[in-house]
Amino acid sequence: MKIIKILACIAALVLVAGCDNYTTLHSSLEEQQANLVMAALLDQGINCRKEPGEEGTWNVMVLEAKFAEAVNILERLGLPRQQRNGVGEVFKKTGMISSPSEERIRFMDALAQDIAHTISMIDGVVDARVHVVLPQNDPFARNAMPSSAAVAIRTRWDADISDLVPSVKGLVKNAIEGLSYDKIQVTIFQDSPPKK
């Protein structure tokens, strides 16, 4: 009789455990990104798990009942971080010959992405975008157009990085040859506080 009660309890536990339906929250993440997502969710009390995906990637799974809450938390935190192509990826040659303007555009894009990636690593920054303008000046012209850069930074609602603006401008200035400090515009957008 005692054995039957124990088996009934085990069967009930298995049924309860089986009721937890997990769904894919994010798929095809690098392991580091999957770990960051899981850490953020676990910090907020949301159970999650990691499963192998395709070609060495990982999928993050959450309970269906917690899906919307998990999406909102990750959106506020800017996770998973956006995949950015560095200089090596952007400058991959696809054809036999690239035109000078094609090379120039690829260079500006790679430069902007590398700087944005560096800025996005600052604590409190959710995302960063950098737009670089490097005019194609005639070396014999009298009035050369100056280079310029615009930086847009999205921060968490509880992060104030306004005192870091001079450092960000200095970083951008030193990363772009010939760029002057006064030709860099930094704009910060702070997320709204989470709804309770």
Side-chain angles (χ1 to χ4, degrees), residues 49-91:
R49 66 182 187 214
K50 183 172 71 172
E51 294 182 353
E54 294 179 7
E55 298 179 7
T57 62
W58 295 89
N59 302 331
V60 176
M61 316 290 287
V62 295
L63 292 171
E64 284 181 359
K66 294 288 188 176
F67 184 84
E69 187 181 351
V71 168
N72 289 331
I73 288 168
L74 295 179
E75 174 63 23
R76 274 197 321 270
L77 298 173
L79 292 172
R81 297 264 186 200
Q82 182 180 345
Q83 182 81 21
R84 297 190 194 276
N85 294 326
V87 175
E89 284 296 310
V90 174
F91 272 97

Side-chain angles (χ1 to χ4, degrees), residues 8-171:
C9 286
I10 291 172
L13 287 172
V14 169
L15 279 175
V16 169
C19 292
D20 292 342
N21 290 329
Y22 278 80
T23 187
T24 304
L25 179 65
H26 281 287
S27 59
S28 302
L29 295 176
E30 293 177 355
E31 189 166 17
Q32 180 191 15
Q33 290 297 319
N35 291 340
L36 288 171
V37 166
M38 286 185 63
L41 294 175
L42 291 170
D43 279 349
Q44 297 294 319
I46 294 182
N47 288 335
C48 56
R49 66 182 187 214
K50 183 172 71 172
E51 294 182 353
E54 294 179 7
E55 298 179 7
T57 62
W58 295 89
N59 302 331
V60 176
M61 316 290 287
V62 295
L63 292 171
E64 284 181 359
K66 294 288 188 176
F67 184 84
E69 187 181 351
V71 168
N72 289 331
I73 288 168
L74 295 179
E75 174 63 23
R76 274 197 321 270
L77 298 173
L79 292 172
R81 297 264 186 200
Q82 182 180 345
Q83 182 81 21
R84 297 190 194 276
N85 294 326
V87 175
E89 284 296 310
V90 174
F91 272 97
K92 271 187 182 172
K93 245 184 196 180
T94 53
M96 291 285 284
I97 300 171
S98 297
S99 70
S101 59
E102 200 177 27
E103 288 286 338
R104 195 169 152 275
I105 289 167
R106 273 199 292 248
F107 173 73
M108 284 192 300
D109 184 52
L111 192 58
Q113 285 193 49
D114 278 353
I115 297 168
H117 177 70
T118 301
I119 294 168
S120 70
M121 303 311 288
I122 297 171
D123 189 35
V125 173
V126 174
D127 196 13
R129 294 273 193 271
V130 177
H131 303 277
V132 178
V133 177
L134 302 174
Q136 196 165 8
N137 288 319
D138 180 352
F140 302 108
R142 280 188 181 173
N143 299 325
M145 295 293 294
S147 299
S148 62
V151 181
I153 301 173
R154 180 179 156 217
T155 66
R156 288 192 323 253
W157 68 275
D158 59 348
D160 181 12
I161 66 159
S162 54
D163 57 336
L164 295 178
V165 168
S167 297
V168 169
K169 288 178 82 168
L171 175 105

